[in-house]
């Protein structure tokens, strides 16, 4: 039962009482039943009036969903076109919150980040970014609470607060570290409705496994291991999988001798069929081919006596955490770059085929102690 019907006023209650009184009076004074037919007609008319009144109230409540699809689509297109930058995208989100029909029309009109270069809905966080211009984000670290907040940069400077995208919190599980990612900074738990996925490291801190709360493709099976389980029980709800879905891993090369030099990373991701195949329906039940990346090798600068990479002004502080990821076989196109700009401030710029969720997972692997490589 919906809330609308739960609070619907009983407009016919008084009419029913009058009708009951009339029926009793009629039975006492009209034994021949001559007026009984008339009473039935009046009763039918009253019932019809009550039904018509209820339908009128129902239509009044659903006046937004009764709008013509052509007019509704034109309104949402105008709102979408007028909000080409943050933080004004809130009106597009408000249109999707009116009712189910508005949500369906809005989601069909609003383009993905790959096409528009904008993040509008939470689902956009797991969609690939634009291929031409990288999405510029930054990460704020809180060392006391071991939390990391990802923001979408509005301006090229960090004076203004960006748009919050998601947050992560680091937990210790024995000798391992685990990062839980949520779109609600106040509810960082795997049991939360805002839960998106997690990241888990090995004992040495050199290998990390990525988990997603949603299946990356149709037919994907959740992880059966204890580390990949989301809830303590096997099944909470048919709509909520109890396990996480493994979507990739990243490995840091061992450096047991502690020699000075940049970290070397090797990342493997299972991208969604929408990213790797022009016809997603042809491979719904087949796992996509793994996408392999590695860090771009820096060059040694003789004058500065340090390893250098061109971050195009997006990184200002030298750190062993700074890196650039490229696809294996194409070392010129930077798909993800991460670097330090302050004590607890880092930039994160990503592009197609990576999503904000995947890029955030990769960048989180740079934090924490790594016994095996430094």
């Amino acid at each position: 039962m919906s809330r609308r019907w739960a609070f619907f006023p009983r407009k016919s209650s008084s009419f029913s009482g009058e009708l009951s009184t009339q029926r009793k009076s009629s039975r006492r004074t009209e034994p021949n039943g001559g007026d009984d037919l008339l009473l039935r007609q009046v009763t039918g008319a009253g019932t019809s009036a009550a039904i018509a009144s209820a339908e009128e109230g129902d239509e009044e409540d659903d006046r937004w969903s009764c709008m013509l699809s052509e007019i509704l689509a034109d309104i949402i297109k105008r709102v979408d076109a007028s909000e080409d930058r943050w933080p004004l995208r809130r009106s597009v989100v408000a249109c999707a919150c009116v009712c189910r029909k508005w949500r369906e029309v809005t989601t069909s009109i609003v383009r993905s980040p790959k096409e528009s270069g904008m993040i509008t809905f939470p689902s956009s966080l797991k969609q690939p970014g634009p291929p031409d211009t990288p999405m510029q984000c930054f990460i704020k670290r809180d060392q006391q609470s071991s939390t990391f907040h990802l923001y979408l940069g509005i301006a090229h400077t960090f004076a203004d607060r960006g748009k919050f995208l998601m947050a992560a919190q680091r937990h210790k599980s024995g000798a391992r570290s685990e990062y839980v990612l949520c779109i609600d900074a106040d509810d960082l738990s795997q049991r939360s409705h805002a839960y998106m996925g997690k990241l888990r490291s090995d004992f040495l801190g050199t290998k990390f496994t990525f988990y997603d709360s949603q299946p990356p493709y149709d037919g994907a099976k959740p992880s059966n291991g204890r580390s990949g389980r989301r809830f303590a029980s096997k099944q909470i709800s048919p709509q909520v999988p109890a396990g996480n879905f493994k979507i990739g891993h990243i490995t840091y090369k061992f450096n047991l001798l502690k020699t000075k030099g940049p970290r070397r990373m090797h990342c493997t991701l299972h991208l969604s069929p929408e990213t790797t195949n022009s016809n997603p329906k042809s491979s719904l039940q087949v796992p996509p081919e793994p996408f392999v990346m590695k860090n771009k090798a820096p060059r040694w600068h003789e004058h500065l006596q340090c390893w250098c990479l061109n971050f195009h002004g997006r990184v200002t502080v030298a750190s062993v955490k700074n890196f650039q990821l490229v696809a294996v076989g194409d070392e010129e196109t930077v798909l993800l770059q991460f670097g330090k700009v302050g004590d607890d401030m880092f930039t994160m710029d990503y592009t197609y085929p990576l999503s904000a969720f995947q890029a955030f997972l990769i960048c989180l692997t740079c934090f924490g102690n790594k016994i095996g490589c430094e």
Side-chain angles (χ1 to χ4, degrees), residues 154-173:
I154 299 176
H156 294 287
T157 63
F158 299 99
D160 297 331
R161 183 181 179 89
K163 174 180 174 55
F164 171 77
L165 298 180
M166 66 183 96
Q169 187 171 31
R170 181 172 58 209
H171 303 275
K172 282 293 184 179
S173 178

Side-chain angles (χ1 to χ4, degrees), residues 51-333:
I51 294 175
S53 177
E55 291 178 351
E56 182 180 357
D58 188 15
E59 291 177 358
E60 183 178 357
D61 291 341
D62 290 343
R63 61 186 181 276
W64 295 108
S65 61
C66 293
M67 184 177 294
L68 291 176
S69 301
E70 294 79 5
I71 298 177
L72 177 59
D74 183 66
I75 292 175
I76 296 177
K77 285 180 180 178
R78 291 171 181 264
V79 175
D80 182 44
S82 65
E83 296 188 332
D84 57 351
R85 64 184 184 276
W86 287 107
L88 299 179
R89 297 291 290 174
R90 65 186 63 172
S91 297
V92 180
V93 178
C95 290
C97 297
V98 174
C99 62
R100 179 177 298 179
K101 181 178 180 180
W102 280 60
R103 180 168 61 253
E104 293 174 352
V105 175
T106 304
T107 53
S108 65
I109 290 176
V110 175
R111 296 175 296 168
S112 64
K114 177 184 175 182
E115 300 173 338
S116 64
M118 293 181 289
I119 296 177
T120 305
F121 304 112
S123 59
S124 304
L125 298 173
K126 293 186 178 182
Q127 296 175 349
D132 301 326
T133 304
M135 300 287 288
Q136 294 185 346
C137 308
F138 59 94
I139 299 173
K140 287 184 178 180
R141 176 180 60 180
D142 188 344
Q143 299 191 41
Q144 293 183 351
S145 60
S146 298
T147 56
F148 306 84
H149 295 80
L150 177 66
Y151 296 89
L152 180 66
I154 299 176
H156 294 287
T157 63
F158 299 99
D160 297 331
R161 183 181 179 89
K163 174 180 174 55
F164 171 77
L165 298 180
M166 66 183 96
Q169 187 171 31
R170 181 172 58 209
H171 303 275
K172 282 293 184 179
S173 178
R176 304 170 184 267
S177 295
E178 189 173 272
Y179 296 79
V180 176
L181 281 69
C182 298
I183 57 175
D184 186 355
D186 298 325
D187 191 4
L188 295 171
S189 170
Q190 291 192 69
R191 298 175 178 83
S192 169
H193 293 288
Y195 173 73
M196 298 193 68
K198 73 175 184 178
L199 169 71
R200 185 176 175 85
S201 73
D202 64 351
F203 171 73
L204 298 176
T206 57
K207 185 175 181 179
F208 295 81
T209 305
F210 305 142
Y211 295 95
D212 196 339
S213 61
Q214 300 296 326
Y217 59 92
D218 290 348
K221 296 181 179 180
S223 176
N224 293 325
R226 184 177 180 182
S227 61
R229 186 162 295 281
R230 179 178 176 183
F231 300 100
S233 60
K234 293 184 178 180
Q235 188 68 53
I236 301 299
S237 170
Q239 289 77 24
V240 180
N244 291 286
F245 298 86
K246 188 182 297 185
I247 60 171
H249 62 271
I250 187 170
T251 304
Y252 288 82
K253 188 173 180 180
F254 282 98
N255 185 13
L256 298 178
L257 298 179
K258 311 296 183 183
T259 57
K260 293 183 178 181
R263 294 173 175 174
R264 282 185 279 184
M265 309 158 56
H266 195 270
C267 180
T268 302
L269 283 176
H270 296 283
L271 303 178
S272 62
E274 290 80 0
T275 305
T276 59
N277 197 328
S278 58
N279 186 14
K281 295 183 179 180
S282 63
S283 60
L284 289 178
Q285 302 294 333
V286 180
E289 292 293 329
F291 184 70
V292 183
M293 297 176 290
K294 65 177 183 178
N295 65 304
K296 187 175 182 179
R299 61 180 180 85
W300 178 257
H301 198 288
E302 291 292 343
H303 180 68
L304 298 177
Q305 290 294 302
C306 64
W307 298 95
C308 297
L309 279 172
N310 185 8
F311 288 94
H312 303 283
R314 292 284 292 167
V315 178
T316 58
V317 179
S319 173
V320 70
K321 297 180 178 64
N322 301 345
F323 71 86
Q324 290 180 336
L325 278 189
V326 296
V328 173
D330 182 11
E331 299 187 6
E332 298 299 326
T333 304

Side-chain angles (χ1 to χ4, degrees), residues 148 170 177 179 263 321 364-370 374:
F148 306 84
R170 181 172 58 209
S177 295
Y179 296 79
R263 294 173 175 174
K321 297 180 178 64
L364 289 173
T365 63
C366 291
F367 299 99
N369 298 327
K370 292 177 172 49
E374 64 184 29

